Amino acid sequence: MSDATRGTAGTPGDGTRAVRAGLPEPVKHEPTLPGPVFAAHFHLPGDPTGPYTYGRDENPTWTLLERAIGELEGPGRGDVETLVFASGMAAISAVLFSQLRAGDAVVLPDDGYQALPLARAQLEAYGIEVRTAPTGGDAQLEVLDGAKLLWIETPSNPGLDVCDVRRLADAAHAQGALVAVDNTLATPLGQRPLELGADFAVASGTKQLTGHGDVLLGYVTGRDAEAMAAVRRWRKIVGAIPGPMEAWLAHRSIATLQLRVERQNATALRLAEALRERPEVTGLRYPGLPDDPSHKVASLQMRRYGCVVSFTLPSRERADSFLDALRLVDDATSFGGVRSTAERRGRWGGDAVPEGFVRFSVGAEDPEDLIADVLRALDVAAG
């Protein structure tokens, strides 16, 4: 490995790690990344020993992907385990429902992913107390007392607020609580929650981790063996497992993660700077902007700021006109893909945002082309 490909202190850089993550030891005449293993069962004479017995429990294609994600979320750590799931919500649910019991209390963000209220309703139906507070200003600290689990989403989706993960984790651990961080928007190349003190890093691999808008996937990476055993047991019970083809596609896609992240994040900053000059744009948020309310905290714990920019246009009609006028941007939900997407989040009804609020996911298009398209669409919408 040349010096140019190394990270700090002689460790591999992000690009090197991404393209090599999870690969098996080389065997002559074997592929460098084996194809997906399609198997509901495996040959199993005698006692059921060994890693592969039944397709709901383990799969060789998962194993390689889990190893790859673990190397990104916890590089150089021998105490990290990763489990992959059929979707991000499957991963989120696995942590919540494997760690909590009736009578426990959990702290959730009140400005996080819009499916969290669905999880809240189910938790409360099981007799679990749910407390909520905003992400910004570390407000979750105010409702932490006596909780069993603290759930952090930073940057929050879609508002892009950031909290101090280490501060919250230290406070939670002092009270005996576990800490999970939704790392979907940042990706492991943006921040590593386990290094900041979290017990779990959880994410939807559907988004920027795989980055092509063609795979539903989730994962949980943890550093506590007992807690992760409970997550594994939940996956077995519920059967929320990814297909081998999805797992293989995800692993293949991780090889370009660093390239995609660098391009998308750099363009996101340029787009945010361009939007800042538009008088009709209010509430502009991007943690990479030096004057963003989250920038100070984000710069202390994030290495990259993500590919999502959020802002508000004067009305629902103005936002819809803007989205209709875009030529290089798909009006679609989700984020993190190589093709830029944007949507008016108020159409779903689950986020506390203005009617003209737009979540914009920056793709891998040429920055000049994308920004020109956005500015032109804003002009058209202004009509």
Side-chain angles (χ1 to χ4, degrees):
M1 186 186 300
S2 69
D3 290 342
T5 60
R6 291 182 185 274
T8 59
T11 59
D14 286 340
T16 302
R17 184 176 288 112
V19 300
R20 306 295 305 178
L23 297 182
E25 290 297 319
V27 176
K28 189 174 183 178
H29 306 308
E30 293 293 323
T32 55
L33 177 62
V37 175
F38 297 99
H41 57 264
F42 303 84
H43 289 295
L44 195 65
D47 292 334
T49 58
Y52 305 112
T53 59
Y54 186 62
R56 189 182 67 249
D57 300 328
E58 292 288 352
N59 178 288
T61 310
W62 304 352
T63 299
L64 297 179
L65 174 59
E66 289 169 343
R67 187 185 305 165
I69 294 171
E71 290 172 10
L72 298 178
E73 286 283 4
R77 298 185 62 133
D79 61 343
V80 165
E81 179 182 2
T82 297
L83 297 169
V84 290
F85 290 81
S87 68
M89 275 309 298
I92 290 170
S93 299
V95 173
L96 292 173
F97 293 107
S98 70
Q99 304 302 314
L100 297 167
R101 303 287 183 272
D104 288 341
V106 61
V107 176
L108 302 178
D110 65 9
D111 55 349
Y113 180 49
Q114 67 167 356
L116 283 180
L118 300 177
R120 174 180 185 165
Q122 194 60 55
L123 289 164
E124 291 176 335
Y126 288 161
I128 297 163
E129 179 188 354
V130 179
R131 308 170 190 164
T132 62
T135 298
D138 300 341
Q140 289 174 296
L141 287 173
E142 299 172 10
V143 293
L144 185 58
D145 188 40
K148 175 72 179 298
L149 176 68
L150 168 63
W151 188 275
I152 297 170
E153 186 178 303
T154 182
S156 61
N157 173 26
L160 303 183
D161 271 321
V162 172
C163 61
D164 186 333
V165 175
R166 189 175 296 282
R167 182 187 181 202
L168 269 68
D170 287 346
H173 290 154
Q175 299 186 31
L178 293 169
V179 178
V181 175
D182 187 327
N183 205 32
T184 301
L185 202 146
T187 83
L189 300 195
Q191 70 185 3
R192 298 188 184 121
L194 301 184
E195 293 181 356
L196 297 169
D199 300 289
F200 303 101
V202 186
S204 168
T206 308
K207 310 299 193 296
Q208 196 171 22
L209 185 82
T210 57
H212 291 78
D214 54 8
V215 172
L216 285 174
L217 192 88
Y219 70 84
V220 178
T221 301
R223 59 192 180 96
D224 182 282
E226 183 178 353
M228 287 302 292
V231 175
R232 179 183 293 273
R233 186 167 57 249
W234 181 264
R235 183 178 71 173
K236 179 182 178 72
I237 293 169
V238 177
I241 57 173
M245 189 66 193
E246 286 79 2
W248 183 84
L249 285 169
H251 196 171
R252 182 203 61 172
S253 298
I254 285 175
T256 61
L257 177 61
Q258 189 265 351
L259 297 172
R260 292 184 281 107
V261 163
E262 290 293 342
R263 175 62 168 263
Q264 292 172 255
N265 290 14
T267 305
L269 177 59
R270 289 182 60 178
L271 175 63
E273 290 170 341
L275 289 170
R276 189 166 50 184
E277 304 303 316
R278 299 290 300 209
E280 71 269 45
V281 170
T282 59
L284 175 66
R285 297 299 304 271
Y286 183 68
L289 286 171
D291 57 351
D292 186 272
S294 293
H295 181 73
K296 182 178 180 180
V297 174
S299 64
L300 296 175
Q301 65 189 24
M302 299 182 72
R303 296 176 297 134
R304 298 173 177 89
Y305 299 108
C307 65
V308 177
V309 178
S310 67
F311 56 95
T312 300
L313 293 176
S315 66
R316 171 178 180 165
E317 293 73 24
R318 191 79 163 263
D320 286 338
S321 295
F322 164 70
L323 294 169
D324 287 342
L326 290 166
R327 296 171 181 167
L328 298 180
V329 183
D330 296 328
D331 190 340
T333 195
S334 196
F335 57 84
V338 292
R339 290 172 290 279
S340 291
T341 61
E343 68 171 337
R344 191 180 61 79
R345 287 297 292 176
R347 66 182 178 174
W348 297 101
D351 296 310
V353 295
E355 285 290 341
F357 180 95
V358 174
R359 185 182 69 184
F360 196 110
S361 173
V362 174
E365 298 87 359
D366 287 302
E368 295 79 8
D369 294 338
L370 182 64
I371 292 171
D373 186 43
V374 169
L375 297 180
R376 181 196 55 77
L378 287 172
D379 290 338
V380 170

